[in-house]
Coordinates of all heavy atoms in Angstrom, one line a residue:
M170 N 0.9 -1.2 0.0 CA 0.0 0.0 0.0 C 0.9 1.2 0.0 O 1.9 1.3 0.7 CB -0.9 0.0 1.2 CG -1.8 1.1 1.4 SD -3.2 1.3 0.2 CE -4.2 0.0 0.5
S171 N 0.6 2.2 -0.8 CA 1.4 3.4 -0.9 C 0.9 4.4 0.1 O 0.0 4.2 0.8 CB 1.2 4.0 -2.3 OG -0.2 4.4 -2.5
N172 N 1.7 5.5 0.2 CA 1.4 6.6 1.1 C 0.1 7.2 0.7 O -0.3 7.2 -0.5 CB 2.5 7.6 1.1 CG 3.7 7.0 1.7 OD1 3.7 6.2 2.6 ND2 4.9 7.5 1.2
P173 N -0.6 7.9 1.6 CA -1.9 8.6 1.2 C -1.7 9.7 0.2 O -0.6 10.3 0.1 CB -2.3 9.2 2.6 CG -1.6 8.5 3.6 CD -0.3 8.0 3.0
T174 N -2.7 9.8 -0.6 CA -2.7 10.9 -1.6 C -2.9 12.2 -0.9 O -3.8 12.4 -0.1 CB -3.8 10.7 -2.7 OG1 -3.6 9.4 -3.3 CG2 -3.8 11.8 -3.7
R175 N -2.0 13.2 -1.3 CA -2.2 14.5 -0.7 C -3.1 15.4 -1.5 O -2.9 15.5 -2.7 CB -0.8 15.2 -0.5 CG 0.1 14.5 0.5 CD 1.4 15.1 0.6 NE 1.2 16.5 1.2 CZ 2.2 17.3 1.3 NH1 3.4 17.0 0.8 NH2 2.0 18.5 1.8
I176 N -4.2 15.9 -0.9 CA -5.2 16.6 -1.7 C -5.4 18.0 -1.0 O -5.6 18.0 0.2 CB -6.6 15.8 -1.6 CG1 -6.4 14.4 -2.1 CG2 -7.6 16.6 -2.5 CD1 -7.5 13.5 -1.8
R177 N -5.4 19.0 -1.8 CA -5.7 20.4 -1.3 C -6.7 20.9 -2.3 O -6.6 20.9 -3.5 CB -4.5 21.3 -1.3 CG -3.3 20.8 -0.5 CD -3.6 21.0 1.0 NE -2.4 20.6 1.8 CZ -2.3 19.4 2.3 NH1 -3.1 18.5 2.2 NH2 -1.2 19.2 3.1
A178 N -7.8 21.5 -1.7 CA -8.8 22.1 -2.6 C -9.3 23.4 -1.9 O -9.6 23.4 -0.7 CB -10.0 21.2 -2.7
T179 N -9.4 24.5 -2.7 CA -9.8 25.8 -2.2 C -10.8 26.4 -3.2 O -10.8 26.1 -4.4 CB -8.7 26.8 -2.0 OG1 -8.0 26.9 -3.3 CG2 -7.7 26.3 -0.9
V180 N -11.7 27.2 -2.7 CA -12.7 27.9 -3.6 C -12.3 29.3 -3.7 O -12.0 30.0 -2.7 CB -14.1 27.7 -3.0 CG1 -15.1 28.5 -3.8 CG2 -14.5 26.3 -2.8
K181 N -12.4 29.8 -4.9 CA -12.2 31.2 -5.1 C -12.9 31.7 -6.4 O -12.8 31.0 -7.4 CB -10.7 31.5 -5.3 CG -10.3 33.0 -5.5 CD -8.8 33.2 -5.6 CE -8.5 34.7 -5.7 NZ -7.1 34.9 -5.9
D182 N -13.7 32.7 -6.3 CA -14.4 33.3 -7.4 C -15.3 32.3 -8.2 O -15.4 32.3 -9.4 CB -13.4 34.0 -8.4 CG -12.6 35.1 -7.8 OD1 -13.2 35.8 -6.9 OD2 -11.5 35.3 -8.2
G183 N -15.9 31.4 -7.4 CA -16.8 30.4 -8.0 C -16.2 29.2 -8.6 O -16.8 28.3 -9.1
Y184 N -14.8 29.1 -8.5 CA -14.1 27.9 -9.0 C -13.4 27.2 -7.8 O -12.9 27.9 -6.9 CB -13.1 28.3 -10.0 CG -13.6 28.7 -11.4 CD1 -14.0 30.0 -11.6 CD2 -13.9 27.8 -12.3 CE1 -14.5 30.4 -12.8 CE2 -14.4 28.1 -13.5 CZ -14.7 29.4 -13.8 OH -15.3 29.8 -15.0
T185 N -13.4 25.9 -7.9 CA -12.6 25.1 -6.9 C -11.3 24.7 -7.6 O -11.3 24.1 -8.6 CB -13.4 23.9 -6.5 OG1 -14.6 24.3 -5.9 CG2 -12.6 23.1 -5.5
E186 N -10.2 25.1 -6.9 CA -8.9 24.7 -7.4 C -8.5 23.5 -6.6 O -8.5 23.5 -5.4 CB -7.9 25.8 -7.3 CG -6.5 25.4 -7.8 CD -5.5 26.5 -7.7 OE1 -5.9 27.6 -7.8 OE2 -4.3 26.2 -7.6
V187 N -8.1 22.4 -7.3 CA -7.7 21.1 -6.7 C -6.3 20.8 -7.0 O -5.9 20.9 -8.2 CB -8.6 20.0 -7.1 CG1 -8.3 18.7 -6.5 CG2 -10.1 20.3 -6.9
R188 N -5.5 20.5 -6.0 CA -4.1 20.0 -6.2 C -4.0 18.7 -5.6 O -4.4 18.5 -4.4 CB -3.2 21.0 -5.6 CG -3.2 22.4 -6.3 CD -2.3 23.4 -5.7 NE -3.0 23.8 -4.4 CZ -2.4 24.3 -3.4 NH1 -1.1 24.5 -3.4 NH2 -3.1 24.6 -2.3
V189 N -3.4 17.7 -6.4 CA -3.3 16.3 -5.9 C -1.9 15.8 -6.1 O -1.3 16.0 -7.2 CB -4.3 15.4 -6.7 CG1 -4.1 14.0 -6.4 CG2 -5.7 15.9 -6.6
L190 N -1.3 15.2 -5.1 CA 0.0 14.6 -5.2 C -0.1 13.1 -4.8 O -0.5 12.8 -3.7 CB 1.0 15.3 -4.2 CG 2.4 14.7 -4.3 CD1 3.1 14.9 -5.6 CD2 3.3 15.4 -3.2
M191 N 0.0 12.3 -5.8 CA -0.1 10.8 -5.6 C 1.3 10.2 -5.4 O 2.2 10.5 -6.1 CB -0.8 10.2 -6.8 CG -2.2 10.6 -7.1 SD -2.8 10.1 -8.7 CE -2.3 11.6 -9.6
S192 N 1.4 9.3 -4.4 CA 2.6 8.7 -4.1 C 2.7 7.3 -4.8 O 1.9 6.4 -4.5 CB 2.8 8.5 -2.6 OG 4.0 7.8 -2.3
H193 N 3.5 7.2 -5.9 CA 3.6 6.0 -6.6 C 4.9 5.9 -7.4 O 5.4 6.9 -7.8 CB 2.5 5.9 -7.7 CG 2.2 4.5 -8.2 ND1 3.0 4.0 -9.2 CD2 1.3 3.6 -7.9 CE1 2.6 2.8 -9.5 NE2 1.6 2.5 -8.7
V194 N 5.5 4.7 -7.5 CA 6.9 4.6 -8.1 C 6.9 4.9 -9.6 O 7.9 5.3 -10.2 CB 7.4 3.2 -7.9 CG1 7.7 2.9 -6.4 CG2 6.5 2.1 -8.5
M195 N 5.8 4.6 -10.3 CA 5.6 4.9 -11.8 C 6.8 4.3 -12.6 O 7.5 5.1 -13.3 CB 5.4 6.4 -12.0 CG 4.2 7.0 -11.4 SD 2.6 6.3 -11.9 CE 2.4 7.0 -13.5
E196 N 7.1 3.1 -12.4 CA 8.2 2.4 -13.2 C 7.7 2.2 -14.6 O 6.6 1.7 -14.8 CB 8.6 1.1 -12.6 CG 9.4 1.2 -11.3 CD 10.8 1.7 -11.6 OE1 11.3 1.7 -12.8 OE2 11.5 2.1 -10.6
N197 N 8.5 2.6 -15.6 CA 8.1 2.4 -17.0 C 8.4 1.1 -17.6 O 8.0 0.8 -18.8 CB 8.6 3.6 -17.8 CG 10.1 3.6 -17.9 OD1 10.8 2.6 -17.5 ND2 10.7 4.7 -18.3
G198 N 9.2 0.3 -16.9 CA 9.5 -1.1 -17.5 C 10.7 -1.1 -18.4 O 11.0 -2.1 -19.0
Q199 N 11.4 0.1 -18.5 CA 12.6 0.1 -19.3 C 13.9 0.3 -18.6 O 15.0 0.2 -19.1 CB 12.5 1.3 -20.4 CG 11.3 1.1 -21.3 CD 11.1 2.2 -22.3 OE1 11.8 3.2 -22.2 NE2 10.2 2.1 -23.2
R200 N 13.8 0.6 -17.3 CA 14.9 0.8 -16.4 C 15.5 -0.5 -15.9 O 14.8 -1.5 -15.7 CB 14.5 1.7 -15.2 CG 15.7 2.2 -14.4 CD 15.1 3.2 -13.3 NE 14.3 2.5 -12.3 CZ 14.8 1.9 -11.3 NH1 16.1 1.8 -11.1 NH2 14.0 1.3 -10.4
K201 N 16.8 -0.6 -15.8 CA 17.5 -1.8 -15.2 C 18.0 -1.5 -13.8 O 18.4 -0.3 -13.6 CB 18.6 -2.2 -16.1 CG 18.1 -2.7 -17.5 CD 19.3 -3.2 -18.3 CE 18.7 -3.6 -19.7 NZ 19.8 -4.0 -20.6
D202 N 18.0 -2.5 -13.0 CA 18.6 -2.3 -11.6 C 20.1 -2.5 -11.7 O 20.7 -2.6 -12.7 CB 17.9 -3.2 -10.6 CG 18.2 -4.7 -10.9 OD1 19.1 -5.0 -11.7 OD2 17.5 -5.5 -10.2
A203 N 20.7 -2.4 -10.5 CA 22.2 -2.5 -10.4 C 22.7 -3.8 -11.0 O 23.8 -3.8 -11.5 CB 22.6 -2.3 -9.0
G204 N 21.9 -4.8 -11.0 CA 22.3 -6.1 -11.5 C 22.1 -6.3 -13.0 O 22.3 -7.4 -13.5
G205 N 21.5 -5.3 -13.6 CA 21.2 -5.4 -15.0 C 19.9 -6.0 -15.4 O 19.5 -6.3 -16.5
V206 N 19.1 -6.3 -14.3 CA 17.7 -6.9 -14.6 C 16.7 -5.8 -14.8 O 16.7 -4.8 -14.0 CB 17.3 -7.7 -13.3 CG1 16.0 -8.3 -13.5 CG2 18.4 -8.8 -13.1
V207 N 15.9 -5.9 -15.8 CA 14.9 -4.9 -16.1 C 13.8 -4.9 -14.9 O 13.3 -5.9 -14.5 CB 14.1 -5.3 -17.4 CG1 13.0 -4.3 -17.6 CG2 15.1 -5.3 -18.5
V208 N 13.6 -3.7 -14.5 CA 12.6 -3.4 -13.4 C 11.2 -3.5 -14.1 O 11.0 -2.7 -15.1 CB 12.8 -2.1 -12.7 CG1 11.7 -1.9 -11.7 CG2 14.2 -2.0 -12.1
P209 N 10.3 -4.4 -13.7 CA 9.0 -4.5 -14.3 C 8.2 -3.2 -14.3 O 8.3 -2.4 -13.3 CB 8.3 -5.6 -13.5 CG 9.3 -6.2 -12.6 CD 10.4 -5.3 -12.5
A210 N 7.4 -3.0 -15.3 CA 6.5 -1.8 -15.4 C 5.5 -1.8 -14.2 O 4.9 -2.9 -13.9 CB 5.8 -1.8 -16.7
H211 N 5.4 -0.7 -13.6 CA 4.4 -0.6 -12.5 C 4.0 0.9 -12.5 O 4.7 1.7 -12.0 CB 5.0 -1.0 -11.2 CG 4.1 -1.0 -10.1 ND1 4.5 -0.9 -8.8 CD2 2.7 -1.2 -10.0 CE1 3.4 -1.0 -8.0 NE2 2.4 -1.1 -8.7
F212 N 2.8 1.2 -13.0 CA 2.4 2.6 -13.1 C 0.9 2.7 -13.0 O 0.1 1.8 -13.2 CB 2.9 3.2 -14.4 CG 2.5 2.5 -15.6 CD1 1.3 2.8 -16.2 CD2 3.3 1.5 -16.2 CE1 0.8 2.1 -17.4 CE2 2.9 0.8 -17.3 CZ 1.7 1.1 -17.9
I213 N 0.5 3.9 -12.6 CA -1.0 4.2 -12.5 C -1.6 4.3 -13.9 O -1.0 4.8 -14.8 CB -1.2 5.6 -11.8 CG1 -0.7 5.5 -10.3 CG2 -2.6 6.0 -11.8 CD1 -0.7 6.8 -9.6
T214 N -2.7 3.6 -14.0 CA -3.4 3.6 -15.3 C -4.6 4.5 -15.4 O -5.0 5.0 -16.4 CB -3.8 2.2 -15.7 OG1 -4.6 1.6 -14.7 CG2 -2.5 1.3 -15.9
E215 N -5.3 4.6 -14.3 CA -6.6 5.4 -14.3 C -6.7 6.2 -13.0 O -6.3 5.7 -11.9 CB -7.8 4.5 -14.3 CG -7.9 3.7 -15.6 CD -9.2 2.9 -15.7 OE1 -10.1 3.1 -15.0 OE2 -9.2 2.0 -16.6
V216 N -7.2 7.4 -13.2 CA -7.4 8.3 -12.0 C -8.7 9.0 -12.2 O -9.1 9.3 -13.3 CB -6.3 9.5 -12.0 CG1 -6.6 10.4 -10.9 CG2 -4.9 8.9 -11.9
S217 N -9.5 9.1 -11.1 CA -10.7 9.8 -11.1 C -10.8 10.6 -9.9 O -10.4 10.3 -8.8 CB -11.9 8.9 -11.3 OG -12.1 8.1 -10.1
V218 N -11.4 11.8 -10.0 CA -11.6 12.8 -8.9 C -13.1 13.1 -8.9 O -13.7 13.4 -10.0 CB -10.8 14.0 -9.1 CG1 -11.0 15.0 -7.9 CG2 -9.3 13.7 -9.2
T219 N -13.7 13.0 -7.8 CA -15.1 13.3 -7.7 C -15.4 14.4 -6.6 O -14.6 14.5 -5.7 CB -16.0 12.1 -7.2 OG1 -15.5 11.6 -6.0 CG2 -15.9 11.0 -8.3
H220 N -16.4 15.2 -6.9 CA -16.8 16.2 -6.0 C -18.2 15.8 -5.6 O -19.2 15.8 -6.4 CB -16.8 17.6 -6.7 CG -17.6 18.6 -6.0 ND1 -18.7 19.2 -6.5 CD2 -17.4 19.2 -4.8 CE1 -19.2 20.1 -5.7 NE2 -18.5 20.1 -4.6
N221 N -18.4 15.5 -4.3 CA -19.7 15.0 -3.8 C -20.4 14.0 -4.8 O -21.5 14.1 -5.2 CB -20.7 16.2 -3.6 CG -20.3 17.0 -2.5 OD1 -19.5 16.6 -1.6 ND2 -20.7 18.3 -2.5
E222 N -19.6 13.0 -5.2 CA -20.0 11.8 -6.0 C -20.1 12.2 -7.5 O -20.4 11.3 -8.3 CB -21.3 11.2 -5.5 CG -21.4 10.8 -4.1 CD -20.2 9.9 -3.7 OE1 -19.9 9.0 -4.5 OE2 -19.7 10.0 -2.5
R223 N -19.9 13.4 -7.9 CA -19.9 13.8 -9.3 C -18.5 13.8 -9.8 O -17.6 14.5 -9.3 CB -20.5 15.2 -9.5 CG -20.5 15.8 -10.9 CD -21.1 17.1 -10.9 NE -20.4 18.1 -10.2 CZ -19.7 19.1 -10.7 NH1 -19.7 19.3 -12.0 NH2 -19.1 20.0 -10.0
V224 N -18.2 13.1 -10.9 CA -16.9 13.0 -11.5 C -16.5 14.4 -12.1 O -17.2 14.9 -13.0 CB -16.8 11.9 -12.6 CG1 -15.4 11.9 -13.2 CG2 -17.1 10.6 -12.0
V225 N -15.4 15.0 -11.6 CA -14.9 16.2 -12.2 C -13.7 16.1 -13.0 O -13.3 17.0 -13.7 CB -14.8 17.3 -11.1 CG1 -16.1 17.7 -10.5 CG2 -13.8 16.8 -10.0
L226 N -13.0 14.9 -12.8 CA -11.8 14.7 -13.6 C -11.7 13.1 -13.8 O -11.8 12.4 -12.8 CB -10.5 15.2 -13.0 CG -9.3 15.0 -13.8 CD1 -8.5 16.3 -13.9 CD2 -8.4 13.9 -13.1
A227 N -11.5 12.7 -15.0 CA -11.1 11.3 -15.2 C -10.0 11.3 -16.2 O -10.0 12.0 -17.2 CB -12.3 10.5 -15.8
A228 N -8.9 10.5 -15.9 CA -7.7 10.5 -16.7 C -7.2 9.1 -16.8 O -7.4 8.2 -15.9 CB -6.7 11.4 -16.1
Q229 N -6.5 8.8 -17.9 CA -5.8 7.6 -18.1 C -4.3 7.9 -18.2 O -3.9 8.8 -19.0 CB -6.2 6.9 -19.4 CG -7.6 6.4 -19.3 CD -8.1 5.7 -20.6 OE1 -7.5 5.9 -21.6 NE2 -9.1 4.8 -20.4
F230 N -3.5 7.3 -17.4 CA -2.0 7.5 -17.4 C -1.3 6.4 -18.1 O -1.9 5.3 -18.2 CB -1.5 7.6 -16.0 CG -1.8 8.8 -15.2 CD1 -2.6 9.8 -15.7 CD2 -1.2 9.0 -14.0 CE1 -2.8 11.0 -15.1 CE2 -1.5 10.2 -13.3 CZ -2.3 11.2 -13.8
G231 N -0.1 6.6 -18.6 CA 0.7 5.6 -19.2 C 2.1 5.6 -18.5 O 2.3 6.3 -17.5
P232 N 3.0 4.8 -19.1 CA 4.3 4.7 -18.4 C 5.2 5.9 -18.5 O 6.3 5.9 -17.9 CB 4.9 3.5 -19.2 CG 4.2 3.5 -20.5 CD 2.9 4.0 -20.2
S233 N 4.8 6.9 -19.3 CA 5.7 8.1 -19.4 C 5.5 9.1 -18.3 O 6.2 10.1 -18.3 CB 5.4 8.7 -20.8 OG 4.1 9.2 -20.9
V234 N 4.5 8.9 -17.4 CA 4.3 9.9 -16.3 C 5.3 9.6 -15.2 O 5.6 8.5 -14.9 CB 2.9 9.7 -15.8 CG1 2.6 10.6 -14.6 CG2 1.8 10.0 -16.9
S235 N 5.9 10.7 -14.7 CA 7.0 10.6 -13.7 C 6.5 10.0 -12.4 O 5.3 10.0 -12.1 CB 7.7 11.9 -13.5 OG 6.7 12.8 -13.0
A236 N 7.4 9.7 -11.5 CA 7.1 9.2 -10.2 C 6.4 10.3 -9.4 O 6.6 11.4 -9.6 CB 8.3 8.8 -9.5
N237 N 5.5 9.8 -8.5 CA 4.7 10.7 -7.6 C 4.0 11.8 -8.5 O 4.3 13.0 -8.3 CB 5.6 11.3 -6.6 CG 6.3 10.3 -5.7 OD1 5.7 9.2 -5.4 ND2 7.5 10.5 -5.4
P238 N 3.0 11.4 -9.3 CA 2.4 12.3 -10.2 C 1.6 13.5 -9.4 O 1.0 13.2 -8.4 CB 1.3 11.5 -10.9 CG 1.8 10.1 -10.8 CD 2.5 10.0 -9.5
Y239 N 1.7 14.7 -10.0 CA 1.0 15.8 -9.4 C 0.0 16.3 -10.4 O 0.3 16.5 -11.6 CB 2.1 16.9 -9.2 CG 1.5 18.2 -8.7 CD1 1.0 18.5 -7.5 CD2 1.4 19.3 -9.7 CE1 0.5 19.7 -7.1 CE2 0.9 20.5 -9.3 CZ 0.4 20.7 -8.0 OH -0.1 21.9 -7.6
L240 N -1.2 16.6 -10.0 CA -2.2 17.1 -10.8 C -2.7 18.4 -10.2 O -2.9 18.5 -9.0 CB -3.4 16.2 -10.9 CG -3.3 14.9 -11.7 CD1 -4.6 14.1 -11.5 CD2 -3.0 15.2 -13.1
A241 N -3.0 19.4 -11.0 CA -3.7 20.6 -10.6 C -4.7 21.0 -11.6 O -4.4 21.0 -12.8 CB -2.7 21.8 -10.4
F242 N -5.9 21.2 -11.2 CA -7.0 21.6 -12.1 C -8.1 22.4 -11.3 O -8.0 22.4 -10.1 CB -7.6 20.4 -12.7 CG -8.3 19.5 -11.8 CD1 -9.7 19.5 -11.6 CD2 -7.6 18.5 -11.1 CE1 -10.4 18.7 -10.7 CE2 -8.3 17.7 -10.2 CZ -9.6 17.8 -10.0
R243 N -9.0 22.9 -12.0 CA -10.1 23.6 -11.3 C -11.4 23.3 -12.0 O -11.4 23.0 -13.2 CB -9.9 25.1 -11.2 CG -9.8 25.8 -12.5 CD -9.4 27.3 -12.2 NE -9.8 28.1 -13.4 CZ -10.0 29.3 -13.4 NH1 -9.9 30.0 -12.3 NH2 -10.4 30.0 -14.5
F244 N -12.5 23.4 -11.3 CA -13.8 23.2 -11.8 C -14.8 24.2 -11.2 O -14.5 24.8 -10.2 CB -14.3 21.8 -11.6 CG -14.5 21.4 -10.2 CD1 -15.7 21.6 -9.5 CD2 -13.5 20.8 -9.4 CE1 -15.9 21.3 -8.2 CE2 -13.6 20.5 -8.1 CZ -14.9 20.7 -7.5
Q245 N -15.8 24.5 -12.0 CA -16.8 25.4 -11.5 C -17.7 24.8 -10.5 O -18.2 23.7 -10.6 CB -17.6 25.9 -12.7 CG -18.4 27.2 -12.4 CD -18.9 27.8 -13.7 OE1 -19.0 27.2 -14.7 NE2 -19.2 29.1 -13.6
G246 N -18.0 25.6 -9.4 CA -18.8 25.1 -8.3 C -18.0 24.6 -7.1 O -16.8 24.9 -7.1
G247 N -18.7 24.0 -6.2 CA -18.0 23.6 -5.0 C -18.1 24.6 -3.9 O -18.3 25.8 -4.2
A248 N -18.1 24.2 -2.7 CA -18.3 25.1 -1.6 C -17.4 24.5 -0.4 O -17.1 23.4 -0.4 CB -19.7 25.1 -1.1
S249 N -17.0 25.4 0.4 CA -16.2 25.1 1.6 C -16.9 23.9 2.4 O -18.1 24.0 2.6 CB -16.0 26.3 2.5 OG -15.2 25.9 3.5
G250 N -16.1 22.9 2.7 CA -16.7 21.7 3.4 C -17.1 20.6 2.5 O -17.4 19.5 3.0
D251 N -17.3 20.8 1.2 CA -17.7 19.7 0.3 C -16.6 18.7 0.2 O -15.4 19.0 0.4 CB -17.9 20.3 -1.1 CG -19.2 21.0 -1.3 OD1 -20.0 21.1 -0.3 OD2 -19.5 21.6 -2.4
R252 N -16.9 17.5 -0.2 CA -16.0 16.4 -0.2 C -15.4 16.2 -1.6 O -16.1 16.2 -2.6 CB -16.7 15.1 0.1 CG -15.9 13.9 0.3 CD -16.7 12.7 0.8 NE -17.4 12.1 -0.3 CZ -17.0 11.1 -1.1 NH1 -15.8 10.6 -0.8 NH2 -17.7 10.6 -2.0
I253 N -14.0 16.1 -1.7 CA -13.3 15.8 -2.9 C -12.6 14.4 -2.6 O -12.0 14.2 -1.6 CB -12.2 16.8 -3.1 CG1 -12.7 18.2 -3.3 CG2 -11.3 16.4 -4.3 CD1 -13.5 18.4 -4.6
A254 N -12.9 13.5 -3.6 CA -12.3 12.1 -3.5 C -11.5 11.8 -4.7 O -11.8 12.1 -5.8 CB -13.4 11.1 -3.3
V255 N -10.3 11.2 -4.4 CA -9.4 10.8 -5.5 C -9.2 9.3 -5.4 O -8.9 8.8 -4.4 CB -8.0 11.5 -5.3 CG1 -7.0 11.0 -6.4 CG2 -8.2 13.0 -5.4
R256 N -9.3 8.7 -6.6 CA -9.1 7.2 -6.7 C -8.2 6.9 -7.9 O -8.4 7.5 -8.9 CB -10.4 6.5 -6.9 CG -10.3 5.0 -7.0 CD -11.7 4.3 -7.1 NE -11.5 2.9 -7.5 CZ -11.1 2.0 -6.7 NH1 -10.8 2.2 -5.5 NH2 -11.1 0.7 -7.2
W257 N -7.2 6.1 -7.6 CA -6.4 5.6 -8.8 C -6.2 4.1 -8.7 O -6.4 3.5 -7.7 CB -5.0 6.3 -8.8 CG -4.1 6.2 -7.6 CD1 -3.9 7.2 -6.7 CD2 -3.3 5.1 -7.2 NE1 -3.0 6.7 -5.7 CE2 -2.6 5.5 -6.0 CE3 -3.1 3.8 -7.7 CZ2 -1.8 4.6 -5.4 CZ3 -2.3 3.0 -7.0 CH2 -1.6 3.4 -5.9
T258 N -5.9 3.6 -9.9 CA -5.7 2.1 -10.1 C -4.4 2.0 -10.9 O -4.2 2.8 -11.9 CB -6.9 1.5 -10.9 OG1 -8.1 1.7 -10.1 CG2 -6.7 0.0 -11.0
D259 N -3.6 1.0 -10.6 CA -2.4 0.8 -11.4 C -2.4 -0.5 -12.2 O -3.4 -1.3 -12.1 CB -1.1 1.0 -10.6 CG -0.9 -0.2 -9.6 OD1 -1.5 -1.2 -9.7 OD2 -0.1 0.1 -8.6
N260 N -1.4 -0.7 -13.0 CA -1.4 -1.9 -13.8 C -1.1 -3.2 -13.0 O -1.2 -4.3 -13.6 CB -0.4 -1.8 -15.0 CG 1.1 -1.7 -14.5 OD1 1.3 -1.3 -13.3 ND2 2.0 -2.1 -15.3
G261 N -0.8 -3.1 -11.8 CA -0.6 -4.2 -10.9 C -1.9 -4.5 -10.1 O -1.9 -5.3 -9.2
S262 N -3.0 -3.9 -10.5 CA -4.3 -4.1 -9.8 C -4.3 -3.5 -8.4 O -5.2 -3.9 -7.6 CB -4.7 -5.5 -9.8 OG -4.9 -6.0 -11.1
D263 N -3.3 -2.7 -8.0 CA -3.4 -2.0 -6.8 C -4.3 -0.7 -7.0 O -4.3 -0.2 -8.1 CB -2.0 -1.5 -6.3 CG -1.2 -2.7 -5.9 OD1 -1.7 -3.7 -5.4 OD2 0.1 -2.6 -6.0
S264 N -4.9 -0.3 -6.0 CA -5.7 0.9 -6.1 C -5.6 1.7 -4.7 O -5.3 1.1 -3.7 CB -7.1 0.6 -6.4 OG -7.7 -0.1 -5.5
R265 N -6.0 2.9 -4.8 CA -6.0 3.7 -3.6 C -7.1 4.8 -3.7 O -7.3 5.3 -4.8 CB -4.7 4.4 -3.3 CG -4.7 5.2 -2.1 CD -3.3 5.5 -1.5 NE -3.6 6.1 -0.2 CZ -3.4 5.5 0.9 NH1 -3.0 4.3 0.9 NH2 -3.7 6.1 2.1
S266 N -7.8 5.0 -2.6 CA -8.8 6.1 -2.5 C -8.5 6.9 -1.3 O -8.3 6.4 -0.2 CB -10.2 5.5 -2.4 OG -10.5 4.7 -3.6
D267 N -8.6 8.2 -1.5 CA -8.4 9.2 -0.4 C -9.4 10.3 -0.6 O -9.8 10.6 -1.8 CB -7.0 9.7 -0.4 CG -6.0 8.7 0.0 OD1 -6.0 8.2 1.2 OD2 -5.3 8.2 -0.9
E268 N -9.7 11.0 0.4 CA -10.6 12.2 0.3 C -10.2 13.3 1.2 O -9.5 13.1 2.2 CB -12.0 11.8 0.5 CG -12.4 11.3 1.9 CD -13.8 10.9 2.0 OE1 -14.3 10.0 1.2 OE2 -14.5 11.4 2.9
A269 N -10.7 14.5 0.9 CA -10.5 15.7 1.7 C -11.7 16.6 1.5 O -12.5 16.4 0.7 CB -9.2 16.4 1.2
R270 N -11.7 17.6 2.4 CA -12.8 18.6 2.3 C -12.2 19.8 1.7 O -11.1 20.2 1.9 CB -13.3 18.9 3.7 CG -13.9 17.7 4.4 CD -15.3 17.4 3.8 NE -15.8 16.2 4.4 CZ -17.0 15.7 4.1 NH1 -17.8 16.3 3.2 NH2 -17.5 14.6 4.7
I271 N -13.1 20.5 1.0 CA -12.7 21.8 0.4 C -12.5 22.8 1.5 O -13.4 23.0 2.4 CB -13.7 22.3 -0.7 CG1 -13.8 21.3 -1.8 CG2 -13.3 23.7 -1.1 CD1 -14.9 21.7 -2.8
G272 N -11.3 23.5 1.5 CA -11.1 24.4 2.6 C -11.4 25.8 2.2 O -11.9 26.2 1.2

């Protein structure tokens, strides 16, 4: 299990700005370890962000995304105290869900 996803969300001028930092190794499958053995690919494939159960962002990632991916985006609406949930799934069938309140 990876570290919790860091989520920050604030409301300004009718828009909610969301910043997300996911903790994941994001191995692309092309790197070799010190012994010359290829490190298997292990990366996030799908990400979704919901605001009070409404999907506000859905994305598909590939092996070219760097370790510990960072996302920043905004959407119209939202209010202080509303729930923001982030869920990701990787190619190893691991997944993680975390949530935060809009501050």
Side-chain angles (χ1 to χ4, degrees):
M170 179 69 64
S171 64
N172 292 329
T174 301
R175 295 179 63 188
I176 306 165
R177 301 285 185 265
T179 56
V180 177
K181 184 177 180 183
D182 298 329
Y184 287 90
T185 299
E186 181 175 333
V187 181
R188 294 175 287 157
V189 177
L190 180 62
M191 295 169 270
S192 179
H193 197 281
V194 296
M195 300 298 285
E196 285 290 346
N197 62 15
Q199 297 180 355
R200 190 174 66 83
K201 293 181 181 177
D202 65 11
V206 178
V207 174
V208 177
H211 186 205
F212 55 88
I213 294 172
T214 56
E215 294 183 16
V216 178
S217 69
V218 180
T219 58
H220 164 245
N221 290 340
E222 308 303 326
R223 177 178 63 111
V224 176
V225 292
L226 181 131
Q229 294 180 336
F230 284 6
S233 62
V234 177
S235 65
N237 303 320
Y239 172 78
L240 291 175
F242 66 97
R243 63 185 201 157
F244 64 90
Q245 198 166 16
S249 182
D251 286 356
R252 188 175 77 91
I253 299 290
V255 176
R256 176 177 171 75
W257 58 254
T258 304
D259 69 18
N260 65 335
S262 299
D263 290 331
S264 63
R265 180 161 190 102
S266 296
D267 293 289
E268 62 181 58
R270 297 285 176 181
I271 297 174

